[in-house]
Each structure stands twice: as structure tokens, then as C-alpha cells.
Amino acid sequence: MSKTALRVAVLIVSTTAAKDPSTDSSQAALSEVLAKEDGRWEVVETKIVPDVASQIQEQIMLWADRAADHINLILTSGGTGFTVADNTPEAVSALIHKPAPGLVHAMLAASLDVTPFAMMARPVAGVRNKSIVITLPGSPKGARENLQAVLKTLPHACLQAASIDSRALHAGGIEKLEAEAGLRSDSGQARAHGQHHNHGAGHQHSHSHGSSHDGHRHGHGHSHDHGHGNLVRHTPSSANPMSNDPNLGPSRRSRESPYPMLSVDDALKLIKQHTPPPEIITSKVDVSLPGLVLAEDVRAKENVPAFRASIVDGYAVVVPKGGDMKGVFPVVSVSHASPGEAKPLKVGEISRITTGAPLPPGATSVIMVEDTILKTMTDDGKEEREVEILADNVKEGENIREMGSDIKAGATILSKGERISAVGGEIGLLAAVGVAEVKTYRRPILGVLSTGDEIVPHDRPGTLRLGEVRDTNRITLMCAARECGYEAIDLGIAADRPGTLEETLRHALRRVDFIVTTGGVSMGELDLLKPTIERALGGTIHFGRVAMKPGKPTTFATVPVKEHSSGHRTPKVVFSLPGNPASAIVTFHLFVLPSLHRAAGIAPEGLPRARVTLAHDFTLDRTRPEYHRAVVSAGPAGLVAVSTGGQRSSKVSSLRGANCLLCMPSGDKPLRKGTTVDALLMGPIRSDLW
């Protein structure tokens, strides 16, 4: 295989093949077509998914969104017909950044040469990041013929998408490009595009006969793939299926979100995948250390204790053979728990010693003061002269803490990944062994921004004018971030004007690692965050809708920012949360916090989870799982959850007293009192309610 081979990934969309891969033959057909191109292509990954839009989109995003070893060409096969389950074109259209109508036209033209039914075909082609994405029919024959219709031009398209220098790529003109692609004969006569002898019908239409919801593929070139409800797009097919273009005005905005609806679990997977890795720094062992996570093992620099020390108040002695210490002994010195030199101790002499003090040289044991009697004092009556010892059968090493008996120099005292707390003994442990600096993961800095012309500072004097809303989100989210241990910078309020929002975000991206915004993420003409991130800042929106209540329009993106010191571009994280207060705080804890944890090296990521018992009946949302604000308390029967009341996303009072989010499924019937559910704990469990 040539070193310059372009990388290909093949996605088979079939519920049947997902259960039994042996039923699929399209993958082999496509691999055969690519293998005939003299080493120009290399199939590096293949995957089979059922006819489910979210799984189709998730796999394509995994291939197209990664920074390293990107895929040049992504081919899907299946799900392109007219049946209820055929939704591959809709799923792919929502992901494409730049449509490629020319490739679609070439496939349709080649198919129409074979059968008029090709007019029912629904191919999609375009660019996502640096990957060309093309949907093909599910049948091996149709997939092969559609791919052959465009294959000769795809190397050029892939090189363009990969940001190869365009001037160098087009040097020599169109004739050179056609010759390199094999689209010209030796005499220089151009072949008729789409007239290659292998081009045939890309039969992507579905017939009612033999159709079933198992995604079965037939060999006569017709696709019988099935899926579920389609995404609705109201902008023209030639428009960029990203966010709305504010320059087009409200009449041209989409009436349906172009972003696929992801589950919470899928959204968390994308956050984990695209949150930048933690940065390693050197931190001093001082009061600023708690909350940081160690980036490497820590070894003791010194023995603890660093000397032989007494563990009692008493008398250091030199134990004679046999261990008989009964008798009266002169007190020749005193050893306190303070630095100082002590003279060597001889047999028959004793030294008064305090707890923690070093043993005099030569001492082999310590006799407790309780095992002695004072016999005589010095002339001034201030010191002991002689002490009678009552102990017999004394052994060496009694009442002594040997050097390094607690911690030996070089021993690992803390491990990589451990979080330094302020309530445990980690700080004291580091201090005890002489460690002054440690390698840790840097805590990311967060910036919080509110958006909207209607938003006014929460502390602005005077009454509100019609339409004005006090900014509760910014101060709430900043306090939540600081409570979790992160520095939060106030980015103020940005107006609903593209230039103003772009300037605010650019300035913020130079100051912080994470930006959290609220408002401006729905489908209104003034909802500008997604367009600004994608179109003005060159960012990538990894998801723009989540199947949850509250928080459906939550958006997660990364924006490349050039570092002045190195000149390299590093990704910065942007979370655009809904403007309703309850939605904002719920999505902060559910999505932003795990991302902050990951960037700070904290594991496990996100809120701790516990099983709780419902104290009363809870009504469920019919269509979406809900994260219900509640109060969890510890009672005689365990952890019990009580709702904070009405859960409308704009209801600020639903946050009062809440210390958890109950993970409630969707459903038509309420969950009854006594049911146990998972709770994500936002704060301490209460014990004062019982």
C-alpha cells in the first residue's frame, strides 16, 4: 500500500447486518472497487450500525471530528430509500459543513442512464471538517455503481478538504487534473463524465414489495433500508447545514434545528472525547494546593522520623545484658523535643527524655516515667540527680520510634491521580517528608457570559421596563463554579448583535480556558451563539441539542485559539447553556462540571451518584428524561428525596434548597412513592428534616 494512500472508512447502515454481519455484502463490494485504484485508497475502518439516526451520526462524528489520523473519505451504505426507516440522508445532512451538490449530480446522472427510477434516489455528499462524506445505496450493485460514478474525482476532493495548498494542487490546469484522475484518454480526448462503462443505476428508491423493517438488502440494486423520523430542514439544500447565517435574515433561518438530538450519555461521551487533556504545572505545597490533582507519584525526600525518638516521657537507658534495670541511676543529661547535641550515654547512666525527643547516642531503650521513683535532687532542688528504676527484663528498642519507621526516604507517599484535600492529611504528609513542590494538573479558568438585549444586571437599581429580565444566571453559575473549586471570571452581558458577541468571545478566549454562556442557543433570529462559534470563530459544535428536560438546546463546542507564546492553536471549550435559570444550573452540573473535572485531571468526573427513595409520587415527562430538582435527606430508612416543587425551566424557585438532580425516565404514568431512582448529588445530604 502506497504511503500516500487516502484513508477510507465504510459505515454500513442496516439493522439486520448489525445483528448478523454475514448478511452484508456492500462492504466487500466497496472495498473491491477501491482496491482497483492502484493503491490510491486504503480502507482503515469499517463499522455496522442499525437504522438509527443518532448511531449513524455518532459514528460519523467519531471519524470526522478527531484531530489526528483523520479519515479522508467516509462512505455510508444503506438507509437511503423512501421507507419509514430510511433516514441516512437526513442524519448525514445535519452533520455536513459544506455540501457537495456536484458529487450528488454525478451519481444521479450515472444512475439515470440506467433507469428512470433513479430520480427517486436521495444521495447526500459534502465535507465535515477534513472528511468527504458520501451516502450510497444499501445494495452492493447500487453502492458499487454510485461510487464508481464519482471515484476518479474524489482524490482531488479529499486533498482539498485536507487543506492542501490550492495553488499547488491546481498547477497545470484542468487538463492535468483530468489526466491525473484518469478521466482523459491517451489522445487527450476527454471522457464524458458519468459515461464510464461501469456506471449504472444507483437504485436508491424503495419498492413496497419485500420491504421490511429489518434493513434487509436485495441484490437487484434497490435499497430496502429503514429508519425513523427525519429531521426537517427548511433552508435550501445548497445552504450550509450548520447554524443559521445571521446575514440571511429571519426569513431564511431554519425552522428545525440542524443538530441531531443526542441522549445525555452520548453528549457526555462527546464532552469526554473533545475536552482538552489536563495541563501539568508545578505547584507549591501551601494553602493553595487543596483541590488539585497530582500529575505524578510523590516520593518521600526524608525519613519520618528522621532520628530515633522516644514515644513516652521517661528515661533513656543503655540496657545491660539480661535486661535487669532495677536500681538507682544518675541522671546525666536531659533530652527535649528540640534541636540540640546530646553527649553519648554509657551503661549505668540515664537521660531524662520527653515524648518525641531524639535518643542520646548509645541509648538502646526508654523507661517510662511511671516505672521510676525520684531518689535525690540537685542542691537547688530544681533538677533530678538520681532516679530509681523499677523495671526488670527490659529489652532493647522499647518505647522507641526508629528512624524511618513511619515513612522511609524514597517511598511513594501519594500516587498520580490523587486529589489533595483540605480535610485529610495529604498536606501534612507532604510537609513531613520535606516535599516543597509537586507536579499537579492545572485547574482550568472559567469565564461566564450572559447574552441578550433583554438582560440587565441583577443589582441595577430601579424597576424593570417591559421585556427586561434581571441576570440571575451569571452570578449563579459563577458561584457554582467557585463552590466546585474553580476560578470564575465575570464576562458581563453581551448584546444580541453578531459583531458584539464575536468581539466579546474572542477577548474572553484569550483570558480563560472555558467559556460558559447562557441564552441565545434556541432557534430565534437573535439566537446568535451557534452561528458565531461556527461561522465567525471557526469552532466546531460537537452537539447542539440533548434529549433531556430541562436543557434541550444545550450546546458544546471547541474553538481553536492561537497561543502567543508558542504560535500553536489549542482548543478552548465553550458551553452555551439555555437562558432559563433552572436549565442553566442543571446543565452546568450535568455537562460543564464533568468537562472541568476532566481538564483538571479529576476522576471520576461529574457529580456523585446515589440511590434514593421517592417521598411522594412524581409526574414524568412523556417524551424526555427529566433531571428533577429535589432535596435529599438521610432518614431512618435511608436516603429520601422530596421535590422542590414546580419544575418549569424558568422557575427560579425550583432551585431553592435543591441538593440533587433526580434522574427520572420519560413515561406516561407517575413514579409512585417508595420507588428508588438515581440522584446526582449537588450538595451535602441533609439530616435536619427528620
Side-chain angles (χ1 to χ4, degrees):
M1 183 62 63
S2 169
K3 291 183 179 179
T4 59
L6 297 168
R7 295 161 54 83
V8 185
V10 178
L11 180 64
I12 304 301
V13 182
S14 166
T15 300
T16 300
K19 297 177 181 177
D20 182 6
S22 65
T23 61
D24 173 69
S25 52
S26 295
Q27 180 180 318
L30 295 175
S31 297
E32 180 182 356
V33 172
L34 295 167
K36 291 180 179 179
E37 291 296 305
D38 299 326
R40 184 168 286 183
W41 304 98
E42 179 184 10
V43 178
V44 295
E45 294 192 46
T46 59
K47 183 77 173 180
I48 301 176
V49 297
D51 296 293
V52 179
S54 62
Q55 294 192 39
I56 297 170
Q57 292 170 331
E58 180 179 359
Q59 187 57 51
I60 291 176
M61 288 190 289
L62 286 174
W63 282 335
D65 293 358
R66 62 194 188 193
D69 298 327
H70 77 274
I71 302 297
N72 298 105
L73 176 63
I74 298 173
L75 302 174
T76 75
S77 175
T80 57
F82 275 16
T83 67
V84 175
D86 289 329
N87 60 355
T88 300
E90 287 72 30
V92 174
S93 293
L95 301 180
I96 289 176
H97 296 158
K98 299 176 183 178
L103 295 177
V104 172
H105 176 78
M107 290 190 287
L108 289 173
S111 297
L112 285 167
D113 282 344
V114 177
T115 173
F117 279 97
M119 69 180 67
M120 298 174 64
R122 303 191 307 120
V124 170
V127 181
R128 180 175 176 87
N129 294 326
K130 295 183 178 181
S131 301
I132 304 292
V133 186
I134 299 176
T135 67
L136 302 172
S139 70
K141 184 175 184 293
R144 181 188 301 110
E145 291 168 347
N146 271 241
L147 178 59
Q148 289 170 334
V150 297
L151 188 59
K152 297 294 184 182
T153 62
L154 290 182
H156 181 72
C158 289
L159 292 176
Q160 280 193 303
S163 301
I164 301 298
D165 181 68
S166 182
R167 184 179 297 274
L169 196 61
H170 292 93
I174 190 66
E175 292 186 359
K176 180 175 180 291
L177 290 176
E178 289 179 343
E180 289 176 345
L183 295 172
R184 278 185 173 269
S185 64
D186 293 339
S187 62
Q189 297 298 316
R191 296 181 181 180
H193 295 288
Q195 300 287 330
H196 191 279
H197 68 278
N198 281 331
H199 292 188
H203 306 299
Q204 301 184 23
H205 55 283
S206 297
H207 299 284
S208 59
H209 64 80
S211 294
S212 65
H213 289 276
D214 61 0
H216 179 65
R217 285 165 170 73
H218 299 270
H220 53 49
H222 303 302
S223 171
H224 294 266
D225 307 287
H226 310 282
H228 303 285
N230 298 331
L231 293 173
V232 178
R233 291 284 300 185
H234 293 279
T235 47
S237 61
S238 60
N240 191 341
M242 298 193 300
S243 49
N244 290 319
D245 186 347
N247 295 323
L248 297 180
S251 63
R252 296 288 301 280
R253 76 180 190 274
S254 299
R255 262 60 179 178
E256 181 75 16
S257 173
Y259 301 98
M261 182 83 77
L262 298 188
S263 68
V264 170
D265 286 343
D266 287 342
L268 289 171
K269 289 178 183 176
L270 288 173
I271 289 172
K272 187 171 186 176
Q273 178 183 350
H274 294 289
T275 297
E279 176 187 346
I280 298 176
I281 60 173
T282 299
S283 299
K284 291 184 177 181
V285 176
D286 58 23
V287 294
S288 66
L289 192 60
L292 295 179
V293 176
L294 293 173
E296 64 180 10
D297 292 347
V298 180
R299 300 183 183 278
K301 290 188 173 183
E302 301 168 351
N303 287 310
V304 178
F307 48 83
R308 301 177 73 217
S310 174
I311 62 174
V312 296
D313 291 330
Y315 298 89
V317 301
V318 180
V319 179
K321 290 182 179 181
D324 184 7
M325 287 296 301
K326 288 184 176 180
V328 178
F329 297 86
V331 179
V332 298
S333 62
V334 177
S335 179
H336 294 299
S338 57
E341 295 292 334
K343 66 179 183 178
L345 199 63
K346 300 176 182 178
V347 176
E349 297 177 337
I350 64 174
S351 174
R352 191 169 79 246
I353 193 168
T354 57
T355 301
L359 266 70
T364 58
S365 191
V366 175
I367 305 296
M368 296 177 63
V369 69
E370 291 85 348
D371 294 328
T372 68
I373 298 174
L374 175 63
K375 296 300 290 182
T376 62
M377 295 183 295
T378 59
D379 293 340
D380 59 9
K382 294 182 178 180
E383 285 291 342
E384 302 167 325
R385 175 179 292 168
E386 294 176 314
V387 170
E388 181 179 0
I389 296 178
L390 306 176
D392 193 6
N393 196 26
V394 178
K395 296 180 175 58
E396 292 186 355
E398 288 182 356
N399 298 322
I400 295 174
R401 192 158 58 115
E402 297 291 345
M403 184 173 64
S405 58
D406 288 353
I407 303 171
K408 290 191 177 298
T412 299
I413 58 168
L414 293 172
S415 300
K416 177 181 178 180
E418 284 194 58
R419 191 176 184 182
I420 306 300
S421 74
V423 296
E426 296 92 346
I427 297 291
L429 182 59
L430 291 167
V433 297
V435 174
E437 293 181 339
V438 290
K439 296 292 185 182
T440 66
Y441 297 118
R442 183 176 69 86
R443 272 182 293 216
I445 299 173
L446 184 76
V448 182
L449 173 71
S450 291
T451 68
D453 292 335
E454 77 282 11
I455 304 299
V456 299
H458 74 280
D459 55 355
R460 193 196 72 182
T463 58
L464 295 176
R465 293 177 295 179
L466 180 64
E468 289 184 332
V469 178
R470 292 197 185 275
D471 185 4
T472 61
N473 290 341
R474 190 159 40 104
I475 187 172
T476 300
L477 293 176
M478 289 177 62
C479 290
R482 290 173 180 174
E483 179 70 14
C484 296
Y486 298 92
E487 181 182 354
I489 294 177
D490 187 351
L491 300 179
I493 301 171
D496 285 327
R497 289 184 289 277
T500 300
L501 182 58
E502 178 186 350
E503 182 181 352
T504 301
L505 290 174
R506 286 190 185 279
H507 178 65
L509 287 167
R510 291 191 290 267
R511 302 171 60 198
V512 301
D513 307 291
F514 279 60
I515 294 179
V516 174
T517 71
T518 58
V521 288
S522 295
M523 292 298 296
E525 61 187 272
L526 297 180
D527 291 321
L528 302 174
L529 271 162
K530 289 173 181 173
T532 301
I533 291 170
E534 284 188 309
R535 299 174 183 274
L537 301 179
T540 299
I541 292 182
H542 302 291
F543 63 79
R545 289 195 303 165
V546 186
M548 62 178 292
K549 180 183 179 182
K552 178 180 173 182
T554 300
T555 298
F556 167 63
T558 51
V559 178
V561 177
K562 188 175 182 180
E563 298 289 348
H564 292 297
S565 57
S566 64
H568 298 302
R569 290 189 176 273
T570 58
K572 300 288 184 79
V573 172
V574 179
F575 279 97
S576 296
L577 309 182
N580 280 323
S583 300
I585 196 65
V586 167
T587 51
F588 172 85
H589 285 291
L590 199 60
F591 298 124
V592 180
L593 188 58
S595 188
L596 287 169
H597 282 172
R598 184 164 182 80
I602 296 172
E605 299 155 11
L607 296 175
R609 185 180 295 259
R611 293 293 288 180
V612 301
T613 301
L614 302 182
H616 52 81
D617 293 352
F618 280 73
T619 301
L620 301 179
D621 186 85
R622 292 178 178 271
T623 59
R624 287 180 285 164
E626 181 176 9
Y627 291 84
H628 194 110
R629 282 81 73 197
V631 179
V632 170
S633 59
L639 299 180
V640 179
V642 178
S643 173
T644 57
Q647 298 290 297
R648 190 171 65 247
S649 58
S650 60
K651 192 170 183 179
V652 180
S653 60
S654 68
L655 301 170
R656 180 178 178 270
N659 62 356
C660 81
L661 302 174
L662 299 181
C663 303
M664 310 295 273
S666 59
D668 296 327
K669 298 180 180 179
L671 285 186
R672 297 301 180 187
K673 175 182 178 180
T675 304
T676 59
V677 299
D678 281 347
L680 300 174
L681 302 178
M682 298 187 294
I685 295 173
R686 295 181 61 175
S687 59
D688 58 340
L689 302 182
W690 299 92

